[in-house]
Amino acid sequence: MPIRTSRSVGVLAEIALSVVVLAAVTGCASRSAPADSDTDRLTGRAQLVAAAWDGSAAAAAWRAGYYPRGEAVQLPKGGPHSEADKLAFKERKFVLRGELPVDEPRNGQVVWTGGGSLARPLEGAVRSYERLADTHVDGRPHLTVTGAKPGRMMVITSRGSATVPAWLFSLDGYTTPLKRAAVLPSELPTSPIKAARDIPGHPLDRLVKITDHGRSVTVVALHGVCDDEAEVDVLETHGSVVLSAAVKGHGSGSTCTKQASLQQVKVELERPVGNRVLLDARTGRPVPYKGLDGISPP
């Protein structure tokens, strides 16, 4: 199977999402781009990852499982009523002022829009609320949960959109519920290739978004504060999309703090992702979906 490498990748976000302190002040050398040898190693690694996954038992398990690629939490229809509520949703500030069902459900059906279903274990309302809520309010804007009942919601997955069991949490002041998926994702299959520790750069932090048409994905990549910006190369095959994160170049300067910034990078694809496995070249594993704030717009 031919393997094509695309390097037409653009950076969307110039603004770092967060800064991670790694070490003390150090010198920063100036260079304009990654060395050719580094690029060749990344390309070769991506080819190895694609070859290992395509047609493997791990890929078959991935396509048979339930792996969300969209938010597991959805706001009430119409969204937050105020800026204070918007902040409370973003920071997951909730207070429970009601009773939650204590019965522990066992299994529920994930039903894909394109056909097929899968039975998966469910978590109870109490556990689902604990995962949803940061109850350390400390005087900050918060929302009041008055109860919960079972229901269903739509989630984007690696196999397309699916209707899944959910807990519908009623909120004081809202006529429609906040929904949280109750079904547990499938276990990730064991990768057919080990992580690489001898190539430059960092693993991708997360998958943030796949566009509706599937022709672009947004991931979060790590780069040093002395680097110009992060970039992500893509290698597409019939069965996988392998992403390799690198840095475009280092800025000049005698000193800088040894810190790293998380940056959103949009990756354009030749064809829609579909049910292909989205892989990190360094780890040899699927890029984890985490989103940004954990709660999607209505």
Side-chain angles (χ1 to χ4, degrees):
M1 181 182 298
I3 296 178
R4 177 188 54 77
T5 302
S6 170
R7 300 183 63 81
S8 57
V9 179
V11 176
L12 269 189
E14 296 290 339
I15 301 174
L17 296 173
S18 62
V19 175
V20 182
V21 178
L22 298 180
V25 174
T26 186
C28 250
S30 173
R31 60 189 177 108
S32 59
D36 289 342
S37 60
D38 290 349
T39 300
D40 291 343
R41 288 161 68 191
L42 282 171
T43 300
R45 170 64 182 179
Q47 292 171 338
L48 289 174
V49 171
W53 272 87
D54 288 357
S56 68
W62 170 268
R63 293 189 178 90
Y66 166 63
Y67 301 102
R69 281 180 171 171
E71 300 292 0
V73 180
Q74 293 175 356
L75 301 183
K77 291 181 181 178
H81 290 173
S82 65
E83 286 299 316
D85 283 4
K86 183 178 180 179
L87 181 62
F89 278 122
K90 181 177 181 179
E91 296 185 344
R92 301 168 43 241
K93 299 298 184 182
F94 295 91
V95 173
L96 181 61
R97 294 285 186 267
E99 298 293 328
L100 298 178
V102 294
D103 293 339
E104 293 289 337
R106 293 188 177 180
N107 292 304
Q109 288 290 320
V110 177
V111 181
W112 277 274
T113 303
S117 63
L118 181 68
R120 290 295 305 158
L122 304 178
E123 62 183 9
V126 174
R127 180 57 178 154
S128 186
Y129 175 76
E130 290 173 348
R131 289 179 183 270
L132 168 71
D134 178 357
T135 56
H136 300 287
V137 174
D138 298 327
R140 298 184 65 79
H142 64 274
L143 294 141
T144 300
V145 174
T146 58
K149 63 180 181 180
R152 297 187 72 80
M153 65 182 282
M154 189 75 73
V155 174
I156 303 301
T157 80
S158 58
R159 295 168 58 179
S161 59
T163 303
V164 305
W167 287 108
L168 312 184
F169 292 97
S170 55
L171 301 176
D172 187 29
Y174 286 80
T175 57
T176 58
L178 180 148
K179 301 178 181 180
R180 188 183 190 282
V183 62
L184 298 176
S186 302
E187 272 191 53
L188 286 173
T190 300
S191 175
I193 187 170
K194 292 182 179 180
R197 306 187 185 279
D198 59 347
I199 56 177
H202 306 276
L204 290 166
D205 181 76
R206 72 187 74 179
L207 169 67
V208 172
K209 180 181 179 181
I210 298 178
T211 54
D212 292 339
H213 54 69
R215 289 288 295 274
S216 69
V217 301
T218 301
V219 294
V220 173
L222 192 70
H223 71 91
V225 294
C226 288
D227 302 325
D228 292 340
E229 59 188 21
E231 64 178 7
V232 178
D233 290 339
V234 57
L235 185 150
E236 297 186 52
T237 72
H238 176 74
S240 61
V241 177
V242 186
L243 303 178
S244 305
V247 294
K248 191 171 183 179
H250 291 294
S252 60
S254 58
T255 61
C256 69
T257 55
K258 213 173 191 181
Q259 295 173 330
S261 294
L262 296 174
Q263 180 184 348
Q264 289 187 66
V265 182
K266 184 178 181 180
V267 182
E268 302 291 348
L269 304 178
E270 294 263 333
R271 59 191 180 90
V273 177
N275 67 350
R276 293 184 292 172
V277 189
L278 194 66
L279 299 164
D280 184 337
R282 283 179 178 78
T283 66
R285 297 175 60 81
V287 181
Y289 175 83
K290 299 178 186 177
L292 287 177
D293 296 328
I295 297 178
S296 68

